[in-house]
Amino acid sequence: MSTQIRGVKADFDQTNAVDAKPSASVILMRDSTNGPEIFMLKRNEGLSFSPGLWVFPGGALDPEEIAEISSNDKERSENAFKLAALRETFEESRVLLANHGDTKQAISSSSYEDFCRQQDWPKLPQQFNLIVELAQSNWQLDLGALTHLSTWTTPLQAKKRFLTRFYVARMPQGQSASCDGSETVEARWQSLTALKSEIDQGDLKLMFPTEMNISWLSQFGSLAELDAALLNHVAPSVMPRMEKHPEGVMLNIPIEAGYGISQRLMRL
């Protein structure tokens, strides 16, 4: 019997788990007078996976990146996830986390705007290769801009599963974030305080990992506080366990994961 909860279609009768597809997501943040803000995108209601949910920019790894994580080399694997995160962030939100390859200096806002116009974002060609396009200007993706926050794997009962690494990054100055008008149809910056309030009131459609990452980040009153905490942060690896419940589905996670809860009831 199939069960639909936020962003996940599950079958409690299936005997063989579907392989989890590697993916990566970036939580773009900036300071404001109301405290740290997060950038989010709303997925198109017409999509088959997670329609209408608010998400962070991100997506699945390409075959070449998957080959890198299969090499059993920890550094190559981490870099593959980061490259996917940076690539998807540009493709989905127009934000380019890159620098000058020789000096590592930031890319100017005018050069960034020129690049976006040249690529005709968001109408990127099917064979678009961000690394190749950046290299023509002697630019490179900035792997150091990302800090690994957490890894979440979809429950075993899900019909479509992902292993997603979530990264935190500061929004580059002089750039603008947007939705692509196709896969995502709305975009917004919102303070962690306001987001947490909406979540607590049940007014925001989110997947469970998205909610938990926002909840963890909401404890910090500034990006400086967050940066200090991330210096010694060990990214938890979490795979919720699904259980049937009379009112819906119970998601169970280890309290040691650091989110302050061990269960969440998802009403159908």
Side-chain angles (χ1 to χ4, degrees):
M1 177 181 173
S2 181
T3 301
Q4 178 75 44
I5 62 172
R6 291 178 188 168
V8 178
K9 187 176 289 186
D11 187 348
F12 287 93
D13 297 324
Q14 69 180 12
T15 56
N16 296 316
V18 177
D19 289 339
K21 194 171 185 178
S23 64
S25 192
V26 176
I27 306 172
L28 292 166
M29 302 187 69
R30 68 184 185 187
D31 265 324
S32 76
T33 55
N34 296 316
E37 291 184 335
I38 283 181
F39 178 74
M40 300 197 73
L41 295 164
K42 185 178 182 182
R43 288 176 59 81
N44 194 316
E45 293 280 0
L47 296 173
S48 60
F49 179 72
S50 304
L53 270 64
W54 285 92
V55 299
F56 308 123
L61 272 67
D62 283 347
E64 296 82 3
E65 293 158 347
I66 291 176
E68 287 295 295
I69 69 171
S70 302
S71 66
N72 294 321
D73 184 305
K74 187 176 180 179
E75 183 177 358
R76 287 172 60 186
S77 178
E78 176 66 12
N79 287 345
F81 274 102
K82 285 186 172 184
L83 287 171
L86 296 169
R87 171 178 51 76
E88 289 286 337
T89 295
F90 177 73
E91 293 177 3
E92 291 197 350
S93 70
R94 200 176 183 263
V95 175
L96 182 61
L97 295 163
N99 57 35
H100 288 274
D102 49 358
T103 64
K104 304 297 187 292
Q105 289 183 336
I107 296 168
S108 69
S109 58
S110 58
S111 296
Y112 157 76
E113 290 294 344
D114 287 343
F115 181 80
C116 291
R117 281 192 293 270
Q118 290 168 6
Q119 306 308 321
D120 197 22
W121 190 96
K123 301 174 184 178
L124 301 172
Q126 188 172 3
Q127 300 303 317
F128 175 74
N129 187 312
L130 180 56
I131 294 177
V132 170
E133 296 299 328
L134 290 175
Q136 294 184 23
S137 300
N138 195 26
W139 297 350
Q140 63 181 11
L141 289 171
D142 186 3
L143 301 183
L146 301 179
T147 300
H148 187 193
L149 184 66
S150 63
T151 299
W152 284 75
T153 304
T154 316
L156 293 171
Q157 298 94 332
K159 291 189 173 183
K160 195 169 188 177
R161 302 180 65 233
F162 292 91
L163 184 156
T164 306
R165 290 196 183 186
F166 290 89
Y167 296 94
V168 173
R170 288 192 181 225
M171 177 66 183
Q173 291 187 349
Q175 296 192 22
S176 59
S178 177
C179 64
D180 63 17
S182 178
E183 184 175 330
T184 59
V185 293
E186 291 183 45
R188 67 174 176 177
W189 284 96
Q190 192 162 4
S191 71
L192 284 167
T193 303
L195 278 172
K196 189 68 166 57
S197 177
E198 283 195 57
I199 291 171
D200 292 343
Q201 295 172 27
D203 295 336
L204 204 60
K205 291 176 64 177
L206 303 170
M207 285 183 277
F208 187 50
T210 307
E211 177 185 341
M212 290 295 96
N213 279 310
I214 291 173
S215 177
W216 189 86
L217 290 167
S218 68
Q219 66 185 297
F220 302 104
S222 68
L223 291 188
E225 289 182 18
L226 173 60
D227 289 344
L230 289 175
L231 289 175
N232 298 311
H233 178 68
V234 178
S237 183
V238 184
M239 183 173 70
R241 180 169 50 86
M242 271 185 176
E243 292 180 348
K244 292 181 180 179
H245 188 278
E247 297 182 40
V249 173
M250 186 67 76
L251 295 176
N252 301 274
I253 62 174
I255 192 67
E256 295 81 10
Y259 297 101
I261 66 169
S262 60
Q263 289 186 321
R264 170 58 54 83
L265 176 63
M266 308 296 283
R267 289 182 170 83
L268 303 181

